[in-house]
Amino acid sequence: EIRALRARVQQDEHMKLNTAVGVGAINRKTLEATRQAARGARDSAAASTSAASGKLAAYSSRVMGETSENDSVFTQEVRVDRKVEWWHQKYQARKPKYFNRVHTGFEWTKYNQTHYDHDNPPPKVVKGYKFNIFYPDLIDKTKAPSYKIERDPESPDHSTCIIRFQAGPPYEDIAFKIVNKDWEYSHKYGFKSSFERGILHLFFNFKRQRYRK
């Protein structure tokens, strides 16, 4: 009888051990499946975001026109102080994506014509910018994003300034350091400021510098 009792106890312990192992295996499988599903969701979201950004960039590229040898991608972003907005508790704040260009070239002023030639050209200067800031998920689409010019604290001679772009939730401000010169505001000289298809376009060129004796 004692032997039979011991056998039953050992059998019960063995069954409990197998059950625990089985439950552990199931839990591990469930955990791994959950992790795989989460990774899949993240990858899907990232792919979707990447595809959307690619479409916005392609559209912006068409709006900006063909790239010349004097055009290059502009990414001179500067850090801005993050303000606590009323909507931060409701929406997850994010920085907008962008696709910008800077246009450079020679300025053949009277001075440069006197001191340089085409074989020995003057240094290239910035002649304008084209900004495309993406706001595809703007909550209030009736209120267009805006921009403003601010002083550059790191430029004591005021040769550069800060251009800050602002929009409503869920987007944070974004800013860039640019050359501080007078703009041409005529469409004839390439000025464009519009908000369409979730993109803020701001294109401008600088006024030509006149030579002073």
Side-chain angles (χ1 to χ4, degrees):
E1 292 181 357
I2 294 176
R3 289 180 181 179
L5 180 61
R6 287 178 178 176
R8 283 198 299 271
V9 169
Q10 290 178 352
Q11 185 177 8
D12 290 342
E13 290 179 349
H14 186 66
M15 290 178 63
K16 289 179 180 179
L17 179 61
N18 287 341
T19 301
V21 171
V23 170
I26 292 173
N27 288 339
R28 286 195 296 272
K29 288 180 179 179
T30 303
L31 180 60
E32 182 60 27
T34 303
R35 288 175 176 172
Q36 289 181 356
R39 284 196 295 267
R42 287 196 300 268
D43 293 344
S44 178
S48 178
T49 301
S50 178
S53 299
K55 290 180 180 179
L56 292 173
Y59 174 72
S60 298
S61 183
R62 290 197 300 271
V63 173
M64 288 190 292
E66 294 183 0
T67 305
S68 71
E69 61 180 7
N70 294 321
D71 294 325
S72 57
V73 175
F74 180 70
T75 59
Q76 198 167 350
E77 187 180 339
V78 296
R79 184 177 180 180
V80 295
D81 294 332
R82 184 179 180 183
K83 298 183 296 183
V84 178
E85 303 287 356
W86 63 267
W87 48 266
H88 279 178
Q89 293 182 347
K90 187 174 182 181
Y91 306 106
Q92 183 177 0
R94 71 187 75 168
K95 185 184 296 184
K97 296 183 181 297
Y98 56 86
F99 184 50
N100 307 331
R101 285 183 191 168
V102 57
H103 180 67
T104 60
F106 302 119
E107 279 195 339
W108 291 105
T109 61
K110 294 286 187 181
Y111 178 88
N112 285 347
Q113 290 177 27
T114 303
H115 293 81
Y116 299 95
D117 55 41
H118 289 283
D119 294 328
N120 181 34
K124 283 188 174 182
V125 297
V126 174
K127 306 189 79 172
Y129 297 91
K130 291 183 177 180
F131 290 95
N132 300 277
I133 314 298
F134 304 154
Y135 299 103
D137 300 320
L138 199 61
I139 302 301
D140 185 0
K141 300 183 184 301
T142 64
K143 186 178 181 181
S146 60
Y147 65 90
K148 64 179 180 179
I149 302 298
E150 301 176 346
R151 187 181 65 84
D152 181 5
E154 298 180 354
S155 179
D157 61 352
H158 306 292
S159 60
T160 59
C161 60
I162 304 298
I163 183 168
R164 180 192 290 257
F165 294 92
Q166 298 174 306
Y171 293 102
E172 298 177 341
D173 291 0
I174 189 169
F176 303 88
K177 179 178 293 192
I178 63 173
V179 174
N180 188 15
K181 291 182 179 180
D182 292 333
W183 297 9
E184 289 280 9
Y185 286 97
S186 171
H187 291 284
K188 178 181 178 181
Y189 295 103
F191 182 78
K192 178 183 177 69
S193 178
S194 66
F195 180 60
E196 52 191 11
R197 298 190 182 185
I199 307 173
L200 175 63
H201 302 289
L202 177 65
F203 304 166
F204 59 89
N205 292 310
F206 295 124
K207 291 182 178 179
R208 293 184 60 182
Q209 299 295 312
R210 297 187 180 277
Y211 173 59
R212 297 180 180 177
K213 294 184 179 180

